[in-house]
Amino acid sequence: MLSVKLGITPRQSRETLSTENRKRGKSDNYQDHQATGGILSSQIPPMQFPHFEEMRQTATPGSQEQDMSTLNVSKRQLSSSSASGSFFPDMQEARRKLMKEVCAKYKSSISKTITQHHVKNLFVEDKYKLLYCQVPKAGCSNWKRTLMVLAGQARNAQSIKHDTVHDGQHVKRLDVFSHPEIMRRLETYTKIIFVREPLERMVSAYRDKFENPNIYYHSSFGIPIISKYRANPSSEALKTGDGVTFKEFVQYLLDVHRPVGMDIHWEQMNQLCNPCLINYDFIGKFENMKEESNFVLRLSGAPPNITLPSFKDRNPNDMRTSVQITEKYFSQVSMLERQRVYDLYYMDYLMFNYSKPFKDLY
């Protein structure tokens, strides 16, 4: 576990819960608890459930701008002992507190029994006692590289190829252990998750898997998506699955009867990592990856020369998905579709304190 005291006073916290978050934690507007459970477990967009609009009007996610402002503070102050000793623990306490409040309000009825299924996305590094939950498109590949370096499997992260990272033979998953060994590690290891602005992550996944050559995704997802949502698909498109448009991808995401299931690259982050069951010690943000990853690595006792790499090894010539690029892609779909995609990822916005990405969303 992290060897740092995370307790703080509200006055000390630099990443405080917004007024809306505090109101949300105390609000009783979302009265139908069974409807809440439906939102969390069903593929139906949340806006289709009763009381959701009522809840939305009184529950606004925290500010993305809050997180980005802390980025500037941390870069100026990280060199001082007071920053590393106070700033990040304060921020973590606020994030963990918000997580617990959202879980208590919206997922209090879920089973508290942890099974192998719940930990299938957690990766183990036994030497430094780390558990990392993979969130694709949020620094996942570089975190796996770092775990391999910590385990002594490579001298540096830059030498590890992308396919090696994901072939399943080098980084152990927590679900391969027996239940007692799983619970022992959950209770004693430092548990880490890094998240990203939800719609930005979703656009990043679309660009990576559908705009670039990828035989698996084009055949497994592209063909059924084109078959169902394109009016007059060419025989070539039906054969290869190439050329899925962003609008077609959005239609697939929003379809209650999807022709093919969800994928880890665009699955909701709270579904991948089960933060209401697993009490994460460190909740990091992709937007501040360098500073936050270095902080948690130093706390874990990792040597100072081991840092998280920042290179982009897949489609390196593509610009990284940004706020501006995300807005450009969502300009291709209707206002209703934007709203429904936001609804699909709404719980991630709440849990991880991101603001609404578009002004016209309710």
Side-chain angles (χ1 to χ4, degrees), residues 126-343:
D126 284 316
K127 182 177 179 181
Y128 292 94
K129 296 186 176 182
L130 294 175
L131 295 177
Y132 164 71
C133 184
Q134 65 169 341
V135 175
K137 314 311 297 179
C140 170
S141 297
N142 283 331
W143 258 107
K144 288 184 182 180
R145 286 186 174 94
T146 302
L147 294 180
M148 290 175 64
V149 174
L150 289 173
Q153 297 181 16
R155 295 188 63 180
N156 59 72
Q158 286 74 11
S159 64
I160 307 173
K161 295 181 179 180
H162 186 271
D163 290 344
T164 303
V165 172
H166 296 288
D167 68 5
Q169 299 180 22
H170 300 280
V171 187
K172 291 180 292 185
R173 293 195 334 185
L174 187 56
D175 64 351
V176 305
F177 294 92
S178 66
H179 192 264
E181 284 297 301
I182 289 173
M183 297 310 298
R184 180 180 70 81
R185 285 172 171 81
L186 285 173
E187 291 165 2
T188 60
Y189 284 21
T190 299
K191 298 171 290 296
I192 304 166
I193 176 177
F194 270 81
V195 297
R196 183 178 185 177
E197 203 286 332
L199 294 198
E200 195 171 299
R201 172 176 169 259
M202 169 260 197
V203 170
S204 177
Y206 165 77
R207 295 176 70 207
D208 181 30
K209 304 307 179 189
F210 295 104
E211 289 190 341
N212 291 282
N214 192 310
I215 294 175
Y216 171 76
Y217 279 92
H218 289 199
S219 61
S220 299
F221 289 87
I223 291 174
I225 287 174
I226 290 172
S227 299
K228 184 164 187 179
Y229 307 111
R230 189 170 298 181
N232 295 296
S234 67
S235 58
E236 183 67 15
L238 291 174
K239 179 181 178 182
T240 64
D242 297 347
V244 170
T245 67
F246 184 69
K247 185 174 181 65
E248 289 167 344
F249 181 63
V250 167
Q251 288 178 292
Y252 145 76
L253 280 179
L254 298 178
D255 191 348
V256 177
H257 305 290
R258 297 188 188 102
V260 61
M262 287 289 273
D263 179 79
I264 189 173
H265 290 85
W266 50 82
E267 178 70 91
Q268 295 95 329
M269 294 179 286
N270 72 87
Q271 298 284 6
L272 294 175
C273 295
N274 299 292
C276 294
L277 275 179
I278 298 167
N279 188 24
Y280 287 94
D281 302 291
F282 194 92
I283 304 166
K285 295 289 184 76
F286 177 84
E287 293 80 7
N288 196 15
M289 179 66 79
K290 180 179 178 181
E291 288 76 20
E292 296 190 23
S293 62
N294 283 342
F295 177 75
V296 73
L297 285 170
R298 300 295 77 77
L299 280 180
S300 71
N305 64 306
I306 297 181
T307 59
L308 198 80
S310 59
F311 62 85
K312 185 176 186 287
D313 64 338
R314 282 181 62 82
N315 312 309
N317 294 326
D318 290 352
M319 291 182 61
R320 288 186 184 273
T321 303
S322 62
V323 173
Q324 292 75 21
I325 288 177
T326 301
E327 291 175 349
K328 178 182 176 182
Y329 277 82
F330 271 92
S331 70
Q332 302 172 33
V333 301
S334 69
M335 182 185 301
L336 176 60
E337 286 169 322
R338 287 201 302 272
Q339 179 66 55
R340 293 183 66 202
V341 173
Y342 173 65
D343 290 343

Side-chain angles (χ1 to χ4, degrees), residues 28-36 39 46-59 106 346 362:
D28 291 322
N29 286 335
Y30 201 5
Q31 297 170 3
D32 190 338
H33 200 78
Q34 295 302 317
T36 306
I39 287 175
M47 64 183 293
Q48 297 183 12
F49 284 88
H51 307 300
F52 193 79
E53 183 173 349
E54 179 184 359
M55 177 189 73
R56 180 68 54 73
Q57 292 171 352
T58 60
Y106 300 115
Y346 184 65
Y362 58 78

Side-chain angles (χ1 to χ4, degrees), residues 17-42:
L17 301 179
S18 65
T19 301
E20 289 83 4
N21 284 336
R22 295 183 187 280
K23 289 180 179 178
R24 181 180 64 244
K26 297 177 182 179
S27 172
D28 291 322
N29 286 335
Y30 201 5
Q31 297 170 3
D32 190 338
H33 200 78
Q34 295 302 317
T36 306
I39 287 175
L40 300 179
S41 62
S42 172

Side-chain angles (χ1 to χ4, degrees), residues 112-125:
K112 299 300 187 290
T113 302
I114 297 177
T115 67
Q116 288 180 313
H117 170 76
H118 295 121
V119 300
K120 66 181 180 181
N121 289 312
L122 270 72
F123 288 82
V124 181
E125 203 299 293

